[in-house]
Amino acid sequence: MCGIVGIIGKENTTDILVQGLEKLEYRGYDSAGIFVTGKNKEDHLVKSLGRIADLQSKITPEVQGTVGIGHTRWATHGKPSERNAHPHTSSNHQFILVHNGVIENFEELKQEFLQNKQLEGETDTEIVVQLIEHFAEDGLVTKEAFKKALTVIKGSYAFALIDKNDPDTIYVAKNKSPLLIGLGDGFNVICSDAMAMLAETNHFVEISDGEMVIVKADKVEIEDEKGNVVYRESYEAQFDLSDIGKGTYPYYMLKEIDDQPTVMRRIIREYTNTLGDAVIDKKIIEKLTASDRIYIVACGTSYNAGWVGKAILEKMTNIPVEVHLSSEFGYNMPLLSEKPFFIFLSQSGETADSRQVLVQITELGLPSLTLTNVAGSTLSREADYTLLLHAGPEIAVASTKAYTAQIAVLAVLAKAAGDNKGNQLSLDFDIAHELSVIAAVMETIIDEKMTISQLVEDYLSTTRNAFYIGRGVDYYVSMEASLKLKEISYIQAEGFAAGELKHGTIALIEEGTPVFGIITDQKTAAHTRGNLKEVESRGAHNVVIALASFAKETDQLIIPDVHPLLTPLVSVIPTQLIAYFATLQRGYDVDKPRNLAKSVTVE
Ligand code: AGP
């Protein structure tokens, strides 16, 4: 949440900041701002409510400098407004700060140190910049004043600070929120996500929590909490500018839906050998198969993928699997088994709710594996092991290809673990072949865009609410389908276990309520059809998404057969397209739904 960029040592600072912020807009888009300055240059602070395009329209040609910081905001403290937009300045205008995260003790800090300061807005960030000024007024040089502020702050943060009396330096620090340093020739950059600065460099250096970094045009110096200089190798970003473009697509979400067959094929390449066996680091398989219970911990779409993972892992490994919401697990940890193994699912690898669980279980000395799309992300660095999703950058707030990639990689993991345990179902499962069938079937469904768009027009054009129902994995896909529909189209949608409707929720069915039934499992097909009849008798307008083997001629969407363990990988595709078209037809921004941000780095 919130995106930070900064650059020092280049002439076209303003353009670089704005282009960087555009790339980070997925992290928050309620307001934005930049500050640029330089030796013998004027200072320019430009802020705007709304999106980066709104900020851009306020930037005049004289806004130029050789050093600058920028920010795109997802409001936590203080409503979205120009006043609350970052960068924030201290009272005497010497210090300028951008922040991503939440300062938990900002009220206490205000009381203790800032009684005499006039505050402009309602943000926690403003307290920090005033605090730095306060310590500087006590006689500390900027670096020490910043350091002292960091010692009294509690919470999560990524900060970039400029002292306008010394515009040769950007001071940077982080705790729990992501921030990277990008290395250039005669210049350096900072960013919340490498993709923001790919046009400038593809060499990045990670910063660890508690470190402070002094960024100058010609050097970057990292210091640990004790002030010792830390040497760290840079790494090369694994993607380039073309990976983060929309191409000819009107929205990232549509591109990312269409990417899914390619992602499946990439996962086959990355994780299987020519014999079709799953190839996963032996150490992971040993730890996993030695465990007596697997705990999957995740949020949102990743949590929904976790349920499908549970179904596959239990069948292939015979190890019981529990699936937990990170935000609940952290504060209400269930009784753990004797030998637990933790799997964290996170597209971004930065989700704060998941990270706080990882921190807790690491303190308990328990083994952990992160499945993430982002190499070098916090959850990846802090877990014992990582498996990358190889889905390519996912930029639309609504997650699509990360969901299917998570399920596919979990299936490969289950296959490797199942084979290791000699599980017959696993030994008979040709994962490479089955995933290539999945890729082809995904393509068939993706080709049905016109049919799906028409269905949306027929069933969802005016409705306030809608239901997805199914049993077993079809229920798990219903949870994901309804999350997708509600988060971008704002239709109140719920995913329900089909058999559970009659225990209360069926009271919500009225004349014309759209109910989507997902039917891909032989055991439950007839029962779900029975539940669909029950809602139809009460006025529901039913739409059936069924696997060919269990389909009836009257079903609206029939999906070619795939391996029974992998049906969610294909049944979810029409539901993603349903959400996409419903949003488009209602005239909303598909990629940037209200109140949301892609990477949720606050608890
Ligand atoms: C999905 O469409 C979401 N916007 C959201 O639920 C997301 O999956 C969740 O915030 C978890 O993110 P992560 O996978 O990056 O941890």
Side-chain angles (χ1 to χ4, degrees):
M1 311 208 123
C2 300
I4 290 177
V5 283
I7 179 151
I8 184 159
K10 267 207 162 181
E11 286 298 327
N12 53 338
T13 294
T14 302
D15 292 345
I16 294 170
L17 291 177
V18 171
Q19 282 156 19
L21 288 177
E22 277 170 347
K23 301 275 177 339
L24 292 185
E25 214 174 11
Y26 72 90
R27 301 179 70 89
Y29 34 84
D30 58 47
S31 54
I34 58 167
F35 174 78
V36 290
T37 186
K39 263 228 147 71
N40 307 320
K41 304 248 182 208
E42 268 183 46
D43 307 325
H44 301 277
L45 177 67
V46 189
K47 305 210 269 188
S48 162
L49 182 63
R51 305 218 167 162
I52 307 304
D54 300 302
L55 174 70
Q56 212 165 0
S57 66
K58 292 180 76 178
I59 296 175
T60 51
E62 62 275 13
V63 179
Q64 293 299 338
T66 51
V67 55
I69 49 178
H71 187 270
T72 179
R73 182 169 186 244
W74 185 88
T76 55
H77 294 70
K79 62 175 195 249
S81 69
E82 200 171 308
R83 217 165 43 132
N84 289 333
H86 302 215
H88 287 287
T89 47
S90 61
S91 299
N92 66 10
H93 303 294
Q94 181 183 347
F95 298 104
I96 298 93
L97 183 78
V98 289
H99 167 218
N100 169 23
V102 173
I103 306 304
E104 288 155 15
N105 61 337
F106 79 102
E107 288 289 4
E108 292 90 317
L109 294 173
K110 193 156 82 177
Q111 287 307 319
E112 189 174 344
F113 298 104
L114 305 174
Q115 303 255 11
N116 303 329
K117 295 266 182 203
Q118 178 71 35
L119 298 175
E120 297 266 310
E122 300 121 29
T123 67
D124 49 345
T125 310
E126 200 189 340
I127 303 297
V128 180
V129 75
Q130 297 288 12
L131 204 58
I132 295 166
E133 182 177 277
H134 168 80
F135 292 134
E137 283 165 352
D138 278 353
L140 294 179
V141 295
T142 303
K143 183 175 150 190
E144 296 309 320
F146 187 29
K147 260 194 173 170
K148 176 134 192 210
L150 296 177
T151 61
V152 294
I153 287 167
K154 289 197 188 114
S156 58
Y157 54 78
F159 289 128
L161 170 76
I162 291 180
D163 170 357
K164 73 171 191 172
N165 295 342
D166 169 28
D168 284 341
T169 309
I170 304 179
Y171 300 87
V172 166
K174 81 172 265 310
N175 183 43
K176 297 187 190 166
S177 299
L179 202 61
L180 294 169
I181 310 291
L183 307 179
D185 186 7
F187 70 94
N188 289 303
V189 299
I190 59 168
C191 48
S192 304
D193 181 330
M195 72 171 83
M197 285 295 171
L198 270 185
E200 305 309 316
T201 179
N202 61 355
H203 288 277
F204 293 91
V205 179
E206 287 165 358
I207 317 172
S208 298
D209 286 355
E211 290 175 342
M212 173 187 271
V213 192
I214 314 296
V215 184
K216 295 183 179 283
D218 56 354
K219 71 170 185 191
V220 170
E221 204 168 274
I222 307 177
E223 279 184 15
D224 67 14
E225 269 158 308
K226 293 186 184 128
N228 302 315
V229 175
V230 176
Y231 296 95
R232 188 165 300 135
E233 290 286 312
S234 65
Y235 69 92
E236 208 171 318
Q238 290 303 305
F239 46 94
D240 58 37
L241 270 182
S242 62
D243 292 325
I244 57 175
K246 264 199 302 232
T248 52
Y249 283 90
Y251 288 100
Y252 279 109
M253 184 184 180
L254 192 62
K255 174 178 181 286
E256 288 160 9
I257 291 172
D258 279 9
D259 277 350
Q260 291 176 102
T262 309
V263 174
M264 292 300 114
R265 294 184 181 113
R266 204 179 296 138
I267 287 171
I268 297 170
R269 268 203 317 277
E270 294 288 339
Y271 288 117
T272 66
N273 61 21
T274 44
L275 302 171
D277 299 322
V279 182
I280 302 270
D281 182 350
K282 277 205 176 65
K283 284 189 236 117
I284 300 177
I285 300 306
E286 277 161 19
K287 278 276 180 207
L288 187 146
T289 51
S291 73
D292 60 0
R293 190 167 287 251
I294 297 167
Y295 293 81
I296 296 181
V297 181
C299 310
T301 288
S302 297
Y303 168 77
N304 293 338
W307 280 98
V308 178
K310 168 187 161 75
I312 304 171
L313 277 161
E314 285 188 340
K315 287 199 180 80
M316 303 266 253
T317 67
N318 298 109
I319 301 171
V321 181
E322 291 183 19
V323 186
H324 291 272
L325 286 169
S326 313
S327 53
E328 286 297 312
F329 193 102
Y331 298 95
N332 295 291
M333 195 180 289
L335 281 178
L336 299 179
S337 66
E338 267 177 34
K339 291 172 84 180
F341 182 84
F342 280 82
I343 300 179
F344 290 85
L345 299 182
S346 177
Q347 187 284 132
S348 62
E350 298 295 348
T351 302
D353 289 325
S354 300
R355 195 212 171 198
Q356 53 105 5
V357 179
L358 176 56
V359 169
Q360 287 184 41
I361 64 112
T362 305
E363 275 168 15
L364 293 173
L366 302 174
S368 56
L369 162 69
T370 290
L371 263 65
T372 181
N373 205 22
V374 184
S377 57
T378 306
L379 283 164
S380 163
R381 278 187 282 125
E382 294 183 356
D384 297 331
Y385 312 102
T386 294
L387 292 175
L388 291 176
L389 299 179
H390 296 290
E394 190 185 66
I395 292 164
V397 166
S399 183
T400 51
K401 61 179 178 174
Y403 174 83
T404 46
Q406 280 167 340
I407 293 171
V409 175
L410 282 169
V412 179
L413 178 68
K415 158 80 181 162
D419 284 2
N420 181 278
K421 291 191 80 183
N423 176 302
Q424 201 52 49
L425 179 67
S426 175
L427 293 168
D428 293 342
F429 185 59
D430 183 343
I431 183 87
H433 169 73
E434 298 304 346
L435 284 178
S436 67
V437 172
I438 292 286
V441 171
M442 281 176 165
E443 273 162 355
T444 315
I445 306 166
I446 283 166
D447 283 347
E448 291 298 315
K449 287 195 184 81
M450 293 322 294
T451 317
I452 294 171
S453 170
Q454 189 57 52
L455 268 180
V456 169
E457 222 173 299
D458 295 344
Y459 290 86
L460 291 176
S461 57
T462 56
T463 190
R464 253 197 70 250
N465 59 0
F467 292 87
Y468 273 97
I469 64 169
R471 289 169 177 244
V473 288
D474 295 334
Y475 165 44
Y476 305 152
V477 173
S478 295
M479 286 162 32
E480 171 56 12
S482 67
L483 174 61
K484 212 86 311 169
L485 185 60
K486 71 183 131 193
E487 77 174 317
I488 58 173
S489 76
Y490 317 139
I491 293 171
Q492 187 170 9
E494 297 306 332
F496 261 87
E500 186 63 16
L501 271 181
K502 58 185 176 296
H503 296 288
T505 309
I506 202 165
L508 294 173
I509 303 296
E510 294 172 342
E511 193 57 44
T513 304
V515 177
F516 293 81
I518 301 180
I519 300 176
T520 71
D521 179 8
Q522 186 188 15
K523 288 191 307 294
T524 58
H527 287 103
T528 303
R529 285 205 187 272
N531 300 133
L532 282 165
K533 278 276 166 238
E534 289 157 12
V535 291
E536 192 179 60
S537 316
R538 287 158 179 87
H541 284 176
N542 288 343
V543 177
V544 180
I545 301 169
L547 208 65
S549 282
F550 320 116
K552 296 200 164 161
E553 245 176 61
T554 47
D555 292 344
Q556 287 83 346
L557 283 168
I558 299 176
I559 299 168
D561 284 345
V562 296
H563 191 285
L565 279 177
L566 301 180
T567 58
L569 288 173
V570 291
S571 60
V572 77
I573 307 285
T575 73
Q576 296 170 342
L577 286 165
I578 287 168
Y580 173 81
F581 285 115
T583 308
L584 207 63
Q585 288 173 20
R586 285 170 182 239
Y588 297 121
D589 185 338
V590 172
D591 287 340
K592 297 193 188 85
R594 70 186 176 209
N595 305 339
L596 291 174
K598 181 73 179 164
S599 181
V600 186
T601 54
V602 292
E603 277 178 38

